[in-house]
Amino acid sequence: MTEVHVLGIRHHGPGSAHSVAEALAALRPDLVLVEGPPELDQVIPLLSDPEMVPPVAGLIYVPDEPRLASFYPMASFSPEWVAIRWALSTGAQVRAIDLPAAHTFALREGGDVPPSDEAPSEELPAEEAPAEEEPLVADDGGSSSVGSRPYRPDAIGILARAAGYSDAERWWEDAVEHRHSDPVERFEALTEAIAEIRAADDRPAHHPDVLENNRREASMRRLLRAALREGHVRIAVVCGAYHAPALVPAHFPPAAADNKVLAGLPKTKIAVTWVPWTSGRLSLASGYGAGVTAPGWYQHLFTHWMGNDPGTDVSTTWLVRVARALRGENLDASTASVVEATRMADALAAVRGRPSPGLTELDDAAQAVLCDGSPLPLALVHRELTVGLELGSVPDSAPTVPLAADLAATQRRLRWKPSAMEEVLALDLRKPAQLARSVLLHRLALLGVDWGIPAETGRTLGTFKEAWTLQWRPELAIAVVEAGRYGTTVAAAASAYVAERAREDANLASLSGLLANCLLADLPEGIGAVVSVLAERTALQQDVAPLLETVAPLARTCRYGNVRGVDVTGVRKILDTTVVRACVGLPTACAGLDDEAADVMRRAIDFAQHGLSLVPDLPLDDWHRALSAVAGSDLIHGAVAGRATRLLLDAGLVEADQVAARLSRRLSVATPAREAAAWLDGVVSGDATLLIYDPRLLQLVDRWVAGADDEAFDDVLPLLRRTFSAFSEPERREIGEQVTRIGGNVPAGKDNLPDLAAAGPAVRTMARYLGWDVVA
């Protein structure tokens, strides 16, 4: 008769993993069944590959809709990883048992659930569909729901509270992971305890979580029955502790009952592979429902429990790592302090009745001794040690989509290994290797694979430098799979995506921005596709503001395309045509604007002016004539007319006397106060040099403000505050000082001559810098 031993574990528990290893060594089963979708069977043998380095995750997804996916993470301290590796190393058979993912995904898409004895027909909750919102592996009853998952009784928490613990994880460590009794007996005792909790569960049979759990356990039992019929001598089942009582053969319901639960379930086509995972995504804080609070600590704990030197002091080695990390942050952490912290951790464990120091005791001791009682230094090393920065790797033989294979090959060619640690990378685009990295990041960004996020480059004004914030997140594997429908290489996929988006996007500014992105991503085919669509759309566009907003992206493409060696002849033709059409329609388009439309038009004019300044050989006569027509009309909204006047003044096409005359006319009593304030804002906003260096303009503004009646002043004050608040503090101070001197009025105790006594210290300091002799 076949022996069946059910090992109920806590997912990602180092103690559970240690106990599983001990139990398997004692039982020597010829078949190991591990909780997980049966589709994983086709990739489980890859876990024996030396290049498979945890943490990794099984990725199961729907090829036609890659966003419909689930991850099944494993670390080296995960009991499932230990069980599978043990089986592969000893020649025992190993399989996954759970509800097939083909059914799970089909149910998520809204398939009907057939009726059964336990519950009426109904659908799974719709909010369970997004893969990134749910726990990435079925939890074991030791975790309550996270995100949008349905509620499940916290069985481990119930046991912890019954034992007088407020922290379920601490109870598990003390009662299970730190015990040294026979491992098989520990699992049997835990199964009995969970069975009592399940017996007290009074949720109705039609509860969504009960329905899901019934289907999963019925599928597990069906696969276990099939294994029993194969005639194995001894079978070990490694599953979440919550499921353990349901998988004891002596307590099985009739096979017909399980078959009825599973009858008629919908199916969908799925694909499966392995992808790298990170320690950070194993953390409960990441939103992972089956996560643990301290993956880095668990890795340390497991390494010493399962290492070649099990006698190593776990507490001492951990505190040595803490001290090393603190020194890395330029903080003092002496060897003597480590010894003292170790003693304190042992004392705290004894006082608290714990069999050995846990992470809480070690953190308390480190804070008290190594950090002088401050929590801040310890927080600096929390991410590096307690959570961990590990990023796993998978062998090249793992199934993958062609796009992912091309991305991996490109990363190897560029000698650029992804990392789970966030870092800021500065790229010098004058160097071919770094330019190639920039191109790859821009292509991935177009495809929605946000490995890199653009960052500020500092005060550099050149175009040869880029900065990116890099961090590889496991869910990017889904984005790569999804982008695979556009092509088999990163370049081809990005070009195809750009062409599709260009056909669907009717916004000229958006298309122009897409064109600029194609330039940065070095996509000649994408540029051709966007240029073709953009030429058609600009020819049909009648509104002037969208045409003006298109000028700047087109101009950037023309200027920097030549720098990058890209043919921009077609783009230049569109730019020339767009500028001409915008100039012809600008005066008419600016007539009859209300305040909101005037703000839109003013911003569009500024965008166009910036773009035109980027192309030195672009003829600007038509543009300046259009601005002159706008600036000279009293019928155009003041914000637009004032801005046109300022741009002409900056171009040297209008004299300061003309600006002063227009300002005097616009600020006359006959002009409503709000219209006058709008014109003034258009002229001076963004740069205070006009008011600072032309006293006549400042006098006109001062006289206009002083002469406004109370009602008008209340209306224009918010507009004036908005205009002047954009100036820098030194500019506002200089304007204020000049206002005090208007008309010869000088504040008491001041004159127009410099205060040499007050300037003395500065003069003497500069003299010393210049090497001059200073006379006191």
Side-chain angles (χ1 to χ4, degrees):
M1 182 176 179
T2 304
E3 295 181 18
V4 177
H5 297 273
V6 181
L7 310 180
I9 53 89
R10 176 193 183 207
H11 294 299
H12 312 308
S16 293
H18 182 255
S19 297
V20 164
E22 288 184 327
L24 293 177
L27 295 171
R28 307 296 299 180
D30 56 342
L31 174 63
V32 177
L33 301 178
V34 178
E35 180 185 333
E39 288 89 350
L40 289 175
D41 287 350
Q42 55 189 298
V43 294
I44 279 180
L46 290 172
L47 293 188
S48 63
D49 192 308
E51 296 183 7
M52 183 75 76
V53 179
V56 294
L59 169 59
I60 301 180
Y61 62 95
V62 178
D64 296 334
E65 191 178 352
R67 288 288 175 183
L68 195 60
S70 287
F71 294 94
Y72 295 83
M74 295 184 190
S76 61
F77 53 83
S78 300
E80 299 91 341
W81 172 273
V82 171
I84 293 173
R85 295 274 290 197
W86 182 91
L88 294 175
S89 65
T90 60
Q93 296 184 38
V94 57
R95 302 173 195 162
I97 59 168
D98 204 332
L99 183 68
H103 295 315
T104 303
F105 290 138
L107 289 167
R108 288 184 193 171
E109 291 179 291
D112 292 335
V113 180
S116 67
D117 292 339
E118 286 83 2
S121 173
E122 65 179 85
E123 297 180 351
L124 285 176
E127 63 270 21
E128 200 170 317
E132 61 270 19
E133 296 295 334
E134 65 177 81
L136 303 179
V137 69
D139 59 26
D140 58 7
S143 303
S144 57
S145 63
V146 175
S148 60
R149 290 282 291 185
Y151 169 81
R152 173 173 295 166
D154 184 1
I156 302 301
I158 293 173
L159 293 175
R161 287 191 293 274
Y165 283 75
S166 59
D167 184 351
E169 291 197 7
R170 170 170 289 192
W171 173 83
W172 185 279
E173 291 182 22
D174 288 355
V176 180
E177 296 179 358
H178 284 207
R179 290 181 61 185
H180 301 289
S181 60
D182 179 80
V184 178
E185 293 180 358
R186 291 203 298 268
F187 285 120
E188 290 176 352
L190 183 62
T191 299
E192 292 178 5
I194 298 295
E196 294 296 328
I197 292 176
R198 290 183 57 138
D201 185 1
D202 59 354
R203 289 176 301 164
H206 61 271
H207 189 283
D209 191 32
V210 175
L211 290 172
E212 178 197 16
N213 195 67
N214 287 342
R215 284 192 295 267
R216 292 183 59 198
E217 292 179 348
S219 182
M220 292 181 188
R221 288 191 292 265
R222 172 188 281 181
L223 294 172
L224 182 51
R225 288 190 185 97
L228 289 170
R229 290 193 296 270
E230 294 173 2
H232 293 281
V233 176
R234 190 174 293 109
I235 299 175
V237 182
V238 179
C239 64
Y242 187 84
H243 304 298
L247 301 184
V248 176
H251 303 151
F252 276 11
D258 286 340
N259 292 335
K260 190 171 183 179
V261 171
L262 300 173
L265 291 181
K267 296 179 64 175
T268 188
K269 183 180 178 181
I270 61 96
V272 59
T273 186
W274 293 104
V275 296
W277 204 249
T278 66
S279 294
R281 289 306 302 269
L282 287 170
S283 172
L284 189 63
S286 70
Y288 170 33
V292 294
T293 56
W297 159 248
Y298 277 9
Q299 179 64 57
H300 178 85
L301 196 62
F302 176 75
T303 299
H304 290 289
W305 269 353
M306 297 295 293
N308 295 325
D309 185 13
T312 303
D313 188 339
V314 174
S315 302
T316 301
T317 52
W318 177 260
L319 290 171
V320 167
R321 294 181 62 193
V322 171
R324 186 182 299 119
L326 289 172
R327 294 188 196 111
E329 298 289 343
N330 297 320
L331 299 173
D332 293 333
S334 66
T335 303
S337 297
V338 173
V339 174
E340 184 61 31
T342 303
R343 292 172 179 169
M344 176 173 285
D346 291 336
L348 287 172
V351 169
R352 295 169 181 175
R354 301 205 64 190
S356 62
L359 182 60
T360 302
E361 286 71 32
L362 293 171
D363 279 349
D364 290 345
Q367 179 177 327
V369 179
L370 298 176
C371 305
D372 296 325
S374 173
L376 296 180
L378 204 59
L380 293 175
V381 301
H382 171 80
R383 183 184 178 199
E384 176 183 349
L385 293 183
T386 308
V387 175
L389 300 174
E390 289 78 10
L391 173 65
S393 63
V394 300
D396 294 337
S397 56
T400 184
V401 295
L403 179 63
D406 178 69
L407 174 58
T410 304
Q411 290 170 333
R412 287 194 299 271
R413 186 176 69 252
L414 297 177
R415 298 180 180 179
W416 204 7
K417 186 177 181 180
S419 172
M421 181 174 63
E422 183 178 294
E423 59 177 333
V424 177
L425 178 69
L427 297 176
D428 187 341
L429 303 184
R430 295 170 296 186
K431 300 178 179 179
Q434 298 196 30
L435 176 60
R437 291 186 173 189
S438 169
V439 167
L440 176 61
L441 289 174
H442 282 292
R443 289 175 177 176
L444 292 175
L446 281 171
L447 291 171
V449 184
D450 298 324
W451 177 21
I453 304 297
E456 294 293 332
T457 57
R459 302 181 64 181
T460 301
L461 299 179
T463 60
F464 63 86
K465 183 178 180 182
E466 283 184 353
W468 295 82
T469 301
L470 299 179
Q471 185 181 29
W472 186 264
R473 303 182 307 280
E475 58 267 27
L476 293 180
I478 292 292
V480 173
V481 172
E482 186 176 30
R485 65 189 175 94
Y486 291 106
T488 58
T489 67
V490 175
S495 296
Y497 168 78
V498 165
E500 178 181 293
R501 180 176 165 187
R503 290 192 297 270
E504 296 175 352
D505 199 336
N507 185 278
L508 289 183
S510 178
L511 285 171
S512 301
L514 185 62
L515 183 62
N517 290 333
C518 287
L519 171 67
L520 298 174
D522 190 17
L523 298 173
E525 294 181 2
I527 290 177
V530 178
V531 167
S532 176
V533 175
L534 195 57
E536 178 184 348
R537 301 280 166 79
T538 52
L540 299 176
Q541 179 60 254
Q542 301 299 322
D543 293 339
V544 172
L547 290 173
L548 293 173
E549 292 173 352
T550 308
V551 170
L554 292 176
R556 282 196 297 269
T557 304
C558 289
R559 175 169 181 175
Y560 301 125
N562 292 331
V563 175
R564 289 176 177 253
V566 178
D567 183 9
V568 293
T569 304
V571 180
R572 180 57 187 267
K573 292 180 179 178
I574 297 176
L575 175 61
D576 292 341
T577 302
T578 301
V579 171
V580 171
R581 294 184 66 241
C583 292
V584 170
L586 182 62
T588 303
C590 292
L593 300 177
D594 57 16
D595 291 344
E596 183 177 353
D599 287 340
V600 172
M601 182 61 71
R602 174 177 157 179
R603 287 195 299 270
I605 290 173
D606 282 337
F607 289 152
Q609 176 66 31
H610 172 70
L612 294 173
S613 66
L614 296 176
V615 185
D617 61 337
L618 192 68
L620 299 179
D621 293 343
D622 291 341
W623 174 244
H624 290 147
R625 280 194 292 270
L627 290 178
S628 297
V630 172
S633 174
D634 291 338
L635 302 178
I636 291 177
H637 195 285
V640 178
R643 199 59 188 164
T645 301
R646 176 59 184 272
L647 295 179
L648 293 171
L649 176 64
D650 291 342
L653 301 178
V654 174
E655 297 295 334
D657 292 342
Q658 294 177 273
V659 175
R662 292 180 182 178
L663 179 63
S664 177
R665 186 174 70 253
R666 284 283 186 168
L667 301 185
S668 65
V669 177
T671 304
R674 291 184 61 85
E675 294 182 15
W679 195 91
L680 176 64
D681 180 66
V683 171
V684 304
S685 64
D687 191 350
T689 53
L690 275 180
L691 296 179
I692 293 176
Y693 296 107
D694 194 329
R696 293 171 301 170
L697 297 180
L698 186 60
Q699 288 180 3
L700 290 171
V701 174
D702 179 66
R703 189 178 305 118
W704 171 67
V705 173
D709 56 36
D710 292 345
E711 183 177 354
F713 185 80
D714 291 341
D715 289 339
V716 301
L717 181 60
L719 300 176
L720 292 176
R721 287 179 61 87
R722 184 184 67 178
T723 300
F724 283 85
S725 65
F727 300 154
S728 66
E729 185 176 346
E731 289 174 334
R732 294 198 300 270
R733 184 188 306 113
E734 179 63 25
I735 291 174
E737 291 177 357
Q738 290 198 25
V739 168
T740 61
R741 294 193 290 269
I742 289 177
N745 297 324
V746 180
K750 301 283 185 179
D751 55 39
N752 290 320
L753 298 177
D755 189 341
L756 297 180
V763 171
R764 288 191 291 273
T765 300
M766 289 303 301
R768 286 198 300 272
Y769 287 159
L770 297 173
W772 296 347
D773 294 332
V774 179
V775 179

